[in-house]
């Protein structure tokens, strides 16, 4: 089965000074089958959110998409007019943002913000919009859905607001949801609830999910495939369970080793030495090279491309852990 | 219900504010010069003057005079103008329509121009046109109203001769109100004064709307609105609703300042309004009229601020009137 969403060599650039540019994404590939759930993991600044926004052409000026292609259901999103891509946004690919406090407009009612998501994609009566929205609020387990429809965002708790955001994302029955750290801003006790809800709804409705997070534990539970990003590129990709059980890229291994669950209780957590270089000052060759204990001459000279590795997996490293295949 | 409670509380506060204004207004009367000099000619003897002073109560102690003033004021009598020999309040209200129309047209110019200009500059921050507007607004803020007014008269009335230089033009008397907005001549006459009066606030509003709108456009809810597939017009509407909140607050306060600037504008254009009247009253040491003006303008300030607070609670769902449950 061919992929529903196919991103190739995507580049996003931001201007630096008058004539220079810094690349926040330096050629990212991504593919997602219908109903598939993909995790995108990496530390802050690796370009995860940038990838999410770029897919829907929502990079804010002065940033721009500087190259690559995004094919969705056979069409190139980057070649679309503003009008055409608006028909994809929300309707076919929806987004959930990180902070539910900031995602909802404080001066409009929940109902207005839900109804307009429906109105944007076809004529619909106010009653019908209300009926479908309330139904969706019930589906995301918002109590007193009828009353909440007329409430303002500040009258709801953070957890409830994120449920509303999920409801808005699901309203137009999209084929893919891109969730950018959907639980990061929430209380720990509510995080698991929201994640479980999102997973259940995606499964029931066969909606594909691109889950952007830095929480590997969540990724392991929710996603089927995993993509690890470093400095604006994908460094490793494969089935989630396999990547977690047997990481090939030293960076992926370092991320996993830094998780509390992977070490003996009481033992010190390991950490990756150094920090991610700023995007404007990446080293020659492999971007991870300064922090990698296995680096050798070739890593200084050439940038490793994302190449097929073990079956179903790809890695961008000359010396993958566990030896080359 | 809450609106009534709010208005009641506000009325009490307003009464207190007015009391303070009246004391301050009344206390300056001894420092304005001798009203008798203007009131009577030079040929009147000192004895007759003293007699008149006694008759007008000007020799009584301050608090006695103030008490007399206050008890009359409560009955709606703010004193009698020395010059017009009529109740000061009547004289002021005769001039009120002229000032009101001037402020109204100015406010209209400000709103109609600043909203689109501010939004345009926020949406296209780097464009040539935005830069022109932003540089122009600096000039607008820097040039004082009376200078703008004189420049406008010089260019449009003297050099080009297309606009009248002074006065209110042809006025239609509606019985309770005289308006210059119903005749072509009246409209022509109000254009230059209104532009001068607007010239200070307009750039301020453009900059305020632009700054606030730019901040709102960077917010997550704007991105989320785009991600829902809304048109750019709808998305801007989202941002503008939030831009309005601080603009209404600042704008309300600025309406008061606008009234203060009418004194300058009306004087330059010989506009027969309250501000021009006030300046004349100062020249004539027409103390009752001066005090009445101060109190009327103070009252307008209080009214406007109350209205702004009410409007604010209406457009901001996060603010409730005191006592209203969430």
């Amino acid at each position: 089965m061919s992929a529903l969403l196919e991103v190739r060599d995507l580049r996003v650039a931001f201007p630096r000074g008058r004539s220079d540019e810094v690349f926040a994404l330096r050629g990212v590939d991504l593919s997602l089958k219908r109903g598939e759930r993909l995790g995108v993991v990496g530390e802050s600044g690796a370009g995860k959110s940038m990838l999410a926004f770029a897919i829907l052409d929502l990079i804010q000026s002065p940033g721009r998409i500087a190259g690559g292609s995004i094919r969705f259901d056979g069409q190139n999103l980057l070649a679309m007019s503003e009008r055409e891509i608006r028909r994809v946004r929300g309707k076919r690919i929806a987004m959930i943002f990180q902070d539910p406090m900031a995602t909802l407009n404080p001066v409009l009612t929940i109902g207005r913000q839900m109804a307009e998501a429906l109105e944007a994609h076809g004529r619909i009566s106010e009653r019908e919009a209300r009926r479908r929205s309330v139904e969706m609020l019930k589906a995301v387990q918002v109590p007193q859905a009828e009353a909440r429809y007329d409430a303002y965002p500040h009258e709801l708790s953070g957890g409830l607001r994120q449920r509303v955001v999920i409801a808005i994302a699901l309203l137009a029955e999209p084929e893919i949801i891109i969730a950018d750290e959907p639980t990061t801003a929430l209380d720990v006790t509510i995080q698991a609830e929201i994640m479980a809800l999102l997973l259940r709804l995606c499964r029931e409705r066969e909606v594909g999910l691109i889950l952007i997070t830095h929480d590997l534990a969540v990724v392991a539970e929710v996603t089927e495939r995993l993509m690890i990003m470093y400095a604006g590129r994908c460094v490793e990709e494969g089935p989630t369970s396999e990547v977690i059980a047997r990481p090939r890229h030293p960076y992926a291994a370092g991320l996993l080793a830094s998780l509390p669950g992977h070490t003996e209780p009481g033992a010190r957590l390991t950490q990756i030495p150094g920090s991610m270089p700023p995007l404007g000052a990446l080293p020659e060759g492999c971007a991870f090279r300064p922090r990698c204990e296995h680096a050798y001459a070739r890593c200084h000279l050439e940038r490793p491309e994302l190449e097929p590795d073990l079956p179903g997996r790809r890695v961008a490293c000359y010396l993958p852990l566990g030896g080359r295949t | 219900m809450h609106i009534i409670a709010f208005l009641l509380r506000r009325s009490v506060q307003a009464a207190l504010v007015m009391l303070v204004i009246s004391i301050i207004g009344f206390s300056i009367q001894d420092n304005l010069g001798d009203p008798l000099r203007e009131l009577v000619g030079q040929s009147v003897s000192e004895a007759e003057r003293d007699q008149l002073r006694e008759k007008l109560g000007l020799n009584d102690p301050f608090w006695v005079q103030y008490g007399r003033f206050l008890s009359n004021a409560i009955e709606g009598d703010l004193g009698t103008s020395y010059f017009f020999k009529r109740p000061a309040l009547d004289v002021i209200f005769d001039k009120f329509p002229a000032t009101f129309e001037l402020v109204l047209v100015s406010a209209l110019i400000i709103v109609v121009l600043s909203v689109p200009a501010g939004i345009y500059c926020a949406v296209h921050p780097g464009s040539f046109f935005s830069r022109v507007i932003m540089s122009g607004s600096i000039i607008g803020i820097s040039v004082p109203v009376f200078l703008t007014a004189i420049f406008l008269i010089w260019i449009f009335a003297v050099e080009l001769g297309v606009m009248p230089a002074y006065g209110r033009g042809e006025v239609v008397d509606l019985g309770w109100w005289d308006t210059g907005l119903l005749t072509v001549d009246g409209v022509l006459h109000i254009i230059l004064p209104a532009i001068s009066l607007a010239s200070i606030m307009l750039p301020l509003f453009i900059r305020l709307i632009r700054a606030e709108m730019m901040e709102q456009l960077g917010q997550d809810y704007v991105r989320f609105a785009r991600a829902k597939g809304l048109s750019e017009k709808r998305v801007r509407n989202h941002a503008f609703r939030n831009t309005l909140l601080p603009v209404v607050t600042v704008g309300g306060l600025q309406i008061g300042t606008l009234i203060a600037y009418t004194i300058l504008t009306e004087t330059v254009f010989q506009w027969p309004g309250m501000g021009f009247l006030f300046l004349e009253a100062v020249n004539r040491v027409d103390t009752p009229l001066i005090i009445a003006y101060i109190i009327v303008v103070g009252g307008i300030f209080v009214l406007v601020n109350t209205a702004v607070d009410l409007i604010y609670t209406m457009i901001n769902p996060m603010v409730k009137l005191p006592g209203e449950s969430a």
Side-chain angles (χ1 to χ4, degrees), chain B residues 110-111 114-119 122 204-214 240 243 247:
Chain B
I110 292 171
V111 171
S114 70
V115 170
I119 292 176
L204 193 83
F205 271 76
I206 292 177
R207 297 187 84 87
L208 179 69
I209 291 173
R210 169 186 172 269
E212 198 56 40
M213 185 78 178
M214 278 179 97
F240 186 64
T243 301
V247 172

Side-chain angles (χ1 to χ4, degrees), chain A residues 64-200:
Chain A
R64 66 184 186 97
I65 294 177
S69 71
I70 302 169
R71 297 195 77 79
F72 171 68
D73 201 15
Q75 296 165 288
N76 187 355
L77 294 187
L78 294 183
M80 280 186 176
S81 70
E82 177 65 26
R83 258 183 105 83
E84 287 170 320
I85 198 152
R86 270 212 306 272
R87 284 202 283 265
V88 175
R89 287 183 194 147
K91 174 70 188 157
R92 304 193 66 189
I93 303 179
M95 259 190 98
I96 296 170
F97 287 28
Q98 193 176 118
D99 183 0
M101 306 287 173
T103 313
L104 296 170
N105 189 335
V107 301
L108 300 178
T109 59
I110 304 288
R112 189 86 283 285
Q113 298 186 58
M114 296 190 83
E116 70 178 5
L118 287 167
E119 287 160 7
H121 303 289
R123 294 188 68 86
I124 185 168
S125 72
E126 212 165 299
R127 272 184 64 184
E128 177 66 6
R130 187 185 181 103
R131 192 190 61 75
R132 281 181 60 183
S133 301
V134 169
E135 195 177 281
M136 190 56 74
L137 285 177
K138 285 177 182 158
V140 296
Q141 295 161 351
V142 169
Q144 300 158 295
E146 280 282 351
R148 303 289 194 204
Y149 184 84
D150 296 310
Y152 285 95
H154 71 274
E155 295 165 343
L156 272 59
S157 69
L160 272 184
R161 272 189 246 186
Q162 196 63 312
R163 285 175 196 270
V164 169
V165 171
I166 292 173
I168 292 175
L170 285 166
L171 256 186
E173 295 165 359
E175 288 143 82
I176 298 175
I177 287 182
I178 303 173
D180 184 10
E181 310 206 20
T183 58
T184 310
L186 301 176
D187 279 354
V188 182
T189 46
I190 299 166
Q191 287 184 358
E193 260 175 57
I194 295 286
M195 215 57 242
L197 174 77
L198 189 59
L199 176 62
R200 186 171 58 77

Side-chain angles (χ1 to χ4, degrees), chain A residues 29-72:
Chain A
D29 294 356
L30 178 154
S31 73
L32 191 79
K33 296 193 195 83
R34 205 169 273 280
E36 191 180 29
R37 291 183 301 280
L38 169 76
V40 178
V41 173
E43 61 194 278
S44 306
K48 296 169 301 189
S49 298
M50 206 56 74
L51 175 63
F53 286 119
I55 290 173
L56 282 176
D57 195 16
L58 288 172
I59 300 286
Q60 274 176 340
S61 171
R64 66 184 186 97
I65 294 177
S69 71
I70 302 169
R71 297 195 77 79
F72 171 68

